[in-house]
Amino acid sequence: MSTFDDRERAYEAKFAHDADLRFRAEARRNRLLGEWAADILGKTGEDVRTYAMTVVTSDFEEAGDEDVYRKLAGDLEGLVDSATIRAKMSEMMVEARRQIIDEVK
């Protein structure tokens, strides 16, 4: 094995690791958003978990965050404005990343 091969393998491993962490953080953010929205909607108990999972699965409709935003905006229409939803999405991404990093340590 050459040094180049070793570097290439290390780069590929880092890329895969970073992609995995990014996916986990986005899924965690979506669950946290779902729990936040469920509280606003007055859901309790198992309904909170079930609703949060619908938010997580809404992220698989298309690339990016707009599918999650549309889900939340539709469900929270008249309860929360667009700016609040987008701010909460950013806030929850920071929290999700922190949680994932803490778990990896």
Side-chain angles (χ1 to χ4, degrees), residues 27-97:
R28 177 76 54 95
R29 178 211 53 196
N30 295 339
R31 182 180 56 81
L32 293 170
L33 284 167
E35 292 170 354
W36 167 75
D39 184 54
I40 293 170
L41 294 168
K43 297 185 181 297
T44 59
E46 187 62 25
D47 290 341
V48 172
R49 183 184 169 295
T50 301
Y51 179 78
M53 290 311 297
T54 67
V55 175
V56 171
T57 58
S58 74
D59 195 23
F60 300 126
E61 294 174 14
E62 64 186 47
D65 296 334
E66 286 305 303
D67 44 3
V68 174
Y69 169 77
R70 278 194 308 274
K71 165 76 173 145
L72 293 169
D75 292 349
L76 298 174
E77 188 173 353
L79 299 171
V80 178
D81 66 4
S82 176
T84 301
I85 294 170
R86 292 202 184 272
K88 190 56 85 167
M89 289 176 75
S90 294
E91 176 188 329
M92 291 300 184
M93 184 53 117
V94 170
E95 176 61 20
R97 285 181 179 147

Side-chain angles (χ1 to χ4, degrees), residues 15-35:
F15 180 82
H17 177 73
D18 290 349
D20 178 60
L21 290 177
R22 188 171 37 258
F23 174 80
R24 290 172 50 199
E26 288 173 1
R28 177 76 54 95
R29 178 211 53 196
N30 295 339
R31 182 180 56 81
L32 293 170
L33 284 167
E35 292 170 354

